[in-house]
Amino acid sequence: MTDRKVTANLSLSLDGRYHGPGGPADFGTFIPYVTSDVARDQMNRIWETATTAVLGRGNAEGFLGFWPPVADDENADPRDRGYAKWLVGVEKVVLSTTLTEAPWERARVVNAPAADVIRELKASGEGEILVNSSPSVIKPLLEADLIDRLYLMIFPEIVGGGERLFEDGLPATSWTLTHLDPGKLGEMAMVYDRAR
């Protein structure tokens, strides 16, 4: 094994949900916060030292429809452009049981358990491995205790339904708060490192 760190980022409501009761596309309550300075600064923070992006199929396909044009948009916020350029150019691993072709350039599709894929990635290469806003990948990695850093955006909303990131049955682990940045709208960017 190399010393590659595994990081993960996700936005959550106060009641711990990563989408609303309408299902995976229900992000309406999050929209006012995702373009705040705190959220954009957090987005820049997540990719600065990452050399591999790991995505679930849904995010890979959704990101493909949104981020590539931002990379070339001179009117976009520079932080958005930086992230978009990184995402387009970085090595991407897409976890999927249904895709047969990679939806991006510099991407490959892998049909295997998330923990196995991450262990393989940790065995070679350099730089951090970022699990990029994909709860379907983050959850099994938390279960396997394979995440070294969590980048969390907490939005001051109780959505009352939708899926939660932290569910009963996870192994007990300890985390150290290494960064906290509150925003004007009540949003908070937090970085937690796994205490090992």
Side-chain angles (χ1 to χ4, degrees), residues 4-8 122 128 141-152 166 170-179 190-196:
R4 298 186 79 182
K5 285 188 177 180
V6 179
T7 67
K122 282 179 67 74
E128 291 179 357
L141 296 181
L142 285 170
E143 290 172 10
D145 194 18
L146 285 172
I147 295 180
D148 301 300
R149 175 172 288 162
L150 281 170
Y151 295 97
L152 298 176
F166 303 110
L170 287 174
T173 54
S174 295
W175 298 80
T176 302
L177 180 67
T178 58
H179 183 86
M190 296 182 287
V191 180
Y192 282 97
D193 285 341
R194 176 73 171 90
R196 297 191 189 276

Side-chain angles (χ1 to χ4, degrees), residues 80-113:
D80 294 350
R81 285 189 74 197
Y83 172 76
K85 286 180 179 182
W86 169 82
L87 188 58
V88 169
V90 76
E91 172 197 21
K92 290 168 282 296
V93 178
V94 180
L95 299 182
S96 175
T97 59
T98 58
L99 288 178
T100 56
E101 292 183 16
W104 292 71
E105 290 182 18
R106 295 191 41 79
R108 62 186 170 102
V109 175
V110 179
N111 180 356

